[in-house]
Amino acid sequence: QLQLVPSGGGLVQPGGSLRLSCVASGFNLGSYAVGWFRQAPGKEREGVSCVSRSFFTTRYAEFVKGRFTISRDNVKNAMYLQMNSLTPEDTAVYYCAVDGPCDDEVGPEFRSWGQGIQVTVSS
């Protein structure tokens, strides 16, 4: 059974930080490119960040550069998104994903997805 189990969402004040995690089971996370996406109410899902399977390419959406950091731990079979300097515009449901394009952009065609995690940034 292939699973991606997320954690780390919640409510945070503007300027605060959150760390999202996804733990994989049933497959080796280190064999694939990994990515983070988000979807705000009434909007389409958009790519946030990704890392290629070889770590040669790391991509960030322009709206998170300098604030978010993607990483993964192959020993723990987990992936992370550290989010700093959060703003209300970052409010969305966030998703981790595995096995998709990360050469030129954070592509939408990832094959495996975790459940959404709500992130709310509000004072």
Side-chain angles (χ1 to χ4, degrees):
Q1 296 182 1
L2 307 180
Q3 292 185 334
L4 289 166
V5 181
S7 63
L11 175 65
V12 66
Q13 294 183 348
S17 299
L18 285 174
R19 188 192 190 206
L20 305 182
S21 302
C22 274
V23 178
S25 63
F27 64 98
N28 184 2
L29 193 62
S31 298
Y32 305 94
V34 302
W36 288 93
F37 298 78
R38 71 185 188 185
Q39 187 170 22
K43 298 183 179 180
E44 295 184 349
R45 184 176 297 176
E46 61 183 352
V48 174
S49 181
C50 65
V51 178
S52 66
R53 62 177 64 87
S54 66
F55 295 95
F56 180 78
T57 302
T58 302
R59 300 291 184 185
Y60 292 95
E62 191 67 30
F63 51 82
V64 303
K65 286 183 178 178
R67 300 189 298 122
F68 291 9
T69 303
I70 188 171
S71 63
R72 60 182 175 185
D73 186 331
N74 291 336
V75 174
K76 297 181 179 179
N77 211 27
M79 55 186 292
Y80 309 96
L81 184 68
Q82 179 67 45
M83 304 184 294
N84 300 325
S85 301
L86 287 163
T87 73
E89 287 69 37
D90 296 315
T91 296
V93 176
Y94 285 71
Y95 300 85
C96 59
V98 176
D99 192 11
C102 191
D103 294 325
D104 301 318
E105 62 179 358
V106 187
E109 301 86 8
F110 279 71
R111 294 182 178 272
S112 300
W113 295 80
Q115 293 182 345
I117 313 171
Q118 179 67 51
V119 172
T120 302
V121 184
S122 177
S123 59

